[in-house]
Amino acid sequence: MASVKVKFRPSSVNGKEGNIYYQVIHDRVVRQIKTDCRIFESEWNGKTSAVAVPVLASIERKNYLQSVASRIEWNVKRLTAIIALLEKGNKSYTVEDILVKFNRQADGQSLFPFMQGIIEQLKWLNRIRTSETYSATLASFMKFREGQDILLCEIDSDTMRLYEAWLKANGNCPNTTSFYMRILRAVYNRAVEKELAEQKYPFKHVYTGIDKTVKRAVPLKAVKRIKELDLTLKPHLDYARDMFLFSFYTRGMSFIDMAYLKKSDLKNGILTYRRRKTGQQLTIKWEKCMEEIVTKYAGRSVTQYLLPIITNPLADERKQYRNAIFRVNAALKEVARLVDLQIPLTMYCARHGWASIAKSKNIPLSVISEGMGHDSEETTRIYLASLDTSVVDRANSLILKDL
């Protein structure tokens, strides 16, 4: 098996710094890897082959020497990981193979730059939403690590269990914890495919499932109360209410699909658009209630879009959408309070509400599925099963009355 040694070469000129290099030996072949780490001979411990920090050194010098020691430790870990992976392979390897991988994988062997590379690739493929979820996961894990990167080969079960415990301690629910874990697992598996890490199944002992959550849908009476609210003196609540109603009117259209609706999508009384989540094309008959909202905000935007969500053609569209959904959902909490609605009202509740109300009116599952743009009726069946427990609650009340 190959070996790695850290060496110091003193300067030939008295009083000048020497430099650190790595010596890699395999099958009696010796190669050297130069570094730009330069220290004085008095700052090197030849017995331990490590940087020695003089007690009387200045704070600046101590910090520099500690950073040199950290870099050496990091690079030795990288070289050791490369050798371990080559040893696991079926093919024989040379010392040159070690050096080639070391030089090529400077950013690929550790998690932070490797994951950032995946994020940039997702953006290039226009998978913006997915790139944002990966960015959120990376930010969370970096916070857990206090900014200290980790080699892909160092990711193990203990690391993931500590991260899971950290997430729970910081108030994350099981589904959020699982969400981060599933993304990190996907990143790790990609690293294994690229032969940057050995498969150690580090996510085996952490939760990666999905808890079923009961989603209380907005009843039709509540939608009517929301519609009838007089919000003339509260324009930000008025706008949020209108966006909520537009989503409800259009069979629970998602806010991102609303944001990117173009004026050209409305022709001859038919609104046609593609769901950004699935790419499925949907058509909706244009109704008077929809027209009233669009007309109300007709002067708000000079863009190609139908609704006043992305309003500035010179600014970043994705950022405008994200800011808008944040403001609307915050305002909807106040709208819910005004109508005495005991659920956390969000734009997504319009979708929940439409599906639940359709179900209560005995509209066939196939019709609800098509209206919501689901890929299959099974998706709709699962969706509806988690929306509203009111029927079961009423049955339970009837039983308890007989006690």
Side-chain angles (χ1 to χ4, degrees):
M1 184 174 177
S3 63
V4 179
K5 295 181 180 179
V6 183
K7 298 283 186 175
F8 171 72
R9 183 181 290 115
S11 174
S12 58
V13 180
N14 288 332
K16 285 200 171 184
E17 296 171 312
N19 67 294
I20 304 290
Y21 67 94
Y22 309 122
Q23 187 181 78
V24 184
I25 307 171
H26 182 55
D27 286 343
R28 298 183 180 179
V29 179
V30 181
R31 292 289 183 271
Q32 295 179 1
I33 301 176
K34 296 180 180 179
T35 77
D36 59 358
C37 298
R38 302 186 67 81
I39 62 174
F40 293 107
E41 191 168 1
S42 60
E43 297 168 336
W44 178 253
N45 187 327
K47 293 181 180 180
T48 60
S49 296
V51 174
V53 182
V55 176
L56 299 178
S58 66
I59 295 176
E60 291 80 4
R61 191 64 185 177
K62 286 181 179 179
N63 289 338
Y64 169 74
L65 291 173
Q66 287 169 357
S67 70
V68 168
S70 296
R71 286 178 62 187
I72 292 171
E73 182 184 10
W74 182 257
N75 284 325
V76 169
K77 283 182 180 180
R78 286 183 55 214
L79 285 164
T80 304
I82 289 169
I83 293 168
L85 285 171
L86 289 171
E87 287 285 340
K88 291 282 183 180
N90 296 323
K91 298 179 181 179
S92 60
Y93 66 95
T94 67
V95 70
E96 301 297 340
D97 294 326
I98 300 172
L99 268 61
V100 167
K101 284 184 175 292
F102 180 79
N103 292 324
R104 284 182 180 175
Q105 298 175 359
D107 291 333
Q109 278 183 266
S110 61
L111 179 64
F112 296 177
F114 180 74
M115 195 166 176
Q116 191 59 53
I118 294 175
I119 292 168
E120 293 304 319
Q121 186 180 45
L122 288 168
K123 290 179 181 177
W124 185 79
L125 293 171
N126 205 32
R127 296 175 61 187
I128 304 301
R129 178 57 184 156
T130 305
S131 74
E132 289 174 349
T133 60
Y134 273 59
S135 294
T137 303
L138 177 57
S140 170
F141 194 75
M142 289 177 73
K143 191 173 182 180
F144 158 68
R145 293 279 301 174
E146 297 181 343
Q148 184 178 355
D149 203 353
I150 183 172
L151 288 173
L152 293 163
C153 63
E154 291 183 303
I155 297 175
D156 56 18
S157 183
D158 288 342
T159 303
M160 289 302 104
R161 280 188 285 192
L162 285 171
Y163 179 47
E164 181 180 53
W166 180 86
L167 287 170
K168 290 178 180 177
N170 282 275
N172 292 277
C173 68
N175 279 346
T176 301
T177 299
S178 174
F179 173 78
Y180 289 143
M181 290 295 181
R182 294 197 307 274
I183 290 177
L184 286 172
R185 183 175 61 186
V187 171
Y188 178 81
N189 288 339
R190 186 177 295 195
V192 171
E193 288 175 7
K194 289 180 174 290
E195 298 183 347
L196 296 172
E198 178 189 353
Q199 182 59 270
K200 299 177 182 177
Y201 303 100
F203 301 87
K204 186 177 181 179
H205 300 294
V206 295
Y207 180 65
T208 55
I210 301 175
D211 273 5
K212 183 177 178 181
T213 56
V214 176
K215 304 166 185 173
R216 293 282 181 179
V218 183
L220 189 57
K221 289 182 179 179
V223 176
K224 287 181 179 179
R225 293 202 305 273
I226 290 170
K227 182 182 178 182
E228 293 167 359
L229 272 176
D230 182 4
L231 298 173
T232 308
L233 300 179
K234 298 179 179 179
H236 69 293
L237 299 186
D238 192 29
Y239 169 77
R241 183 264 306 275
D242 288 342
M243 294 303 102
F244 177 87
L245 290 176
F246 188 90
S247 174
F248 184 82
Y249 295 158
T250 53
R251 309 193 305 242
M253 186 186 295
S254 68
F255 193 74
I256 192 165
D257 290 333
M258 288 170 53
Y260 287 94
L261 281 178
K262 295 180 180 179
K263 295 170 184 175
S264 59
D265 292 334
L266 179 59
K267 294 178 181 177
N268 302 319
I270 299 294
L271 182 65
T272 305
Y273 74 100
R274 286 191 180 276
R275 289 195 69 199
R276 293 180 75 86
K277 184 176 181 179
T278 64
Q280 183 180 358
Q281 182 173 291
L282 297 176
T283 59
I284 299 173
K285 180 186 176 184
W286 194 244
E287 302 284 356
K288 183 181 178 182
C289 55
M290 305 170 194
E291 179 65 31
E292 287 173 349
I293 291 176
V294 170
T295 301
K296 182 176 178 179
Y297 296 97
R300 285 274 195 100
S301 174
V302 293
T303 67
Q304 60 183 320
Y305 299 115
L306 191 64
L307 293 167
I309 298 171
I310 299 172
T311 57
N312 186 347
L314 301 178
D316 182 86
E317 292 186 346
R318 184 74 186 183
K319 188 174 182 179
Q320 290 183 72
Y321 153 73
R322 292 176 64 184
N323 289 340
I325 188 65
F326 178 82
R327 290 195 303 268
V328 166
N329 280 335
L332 286 176
K333 301 296 188 296
E334 177 64 15
V335 171
R337 189 188 67 79
L338 292 174
V339 296
D340 197 28
L341 189 61
Q342 302 302 312
I343 65 170
L345 190 65
T346 66
M347 280 297 300
Y348 209 63
C349 291
R351 188 168 178 81
H352 292 171
W354 189 88
S356 182
I357 293 166
K359 179 185 177 184
S360 70
K361 292 187 175 298
N362 297 317
I363 293 174
L365 183 68
S366 59
V367 176
I368 298 174
S369 180
E370 185 176 348
M372 300 187 74
H374 283 161
D375 293 330
S376 68
E377 289 184 23
E378 184 59 29
T379 301
T380 311
R381 188 176 288 107
I382 295 170
Y383 188 88
L384 287 169
S386 66
L387 283 180
D388 193 3
T389 60
S390 59
V391 175
V392 179
D393 290 341
R394 285 196 294 271
N396 188 46
S397 296
L398 290 173
I399 293 170
L400 296 179
K401 282 181 181 178
D402 292 335
L403 287 177

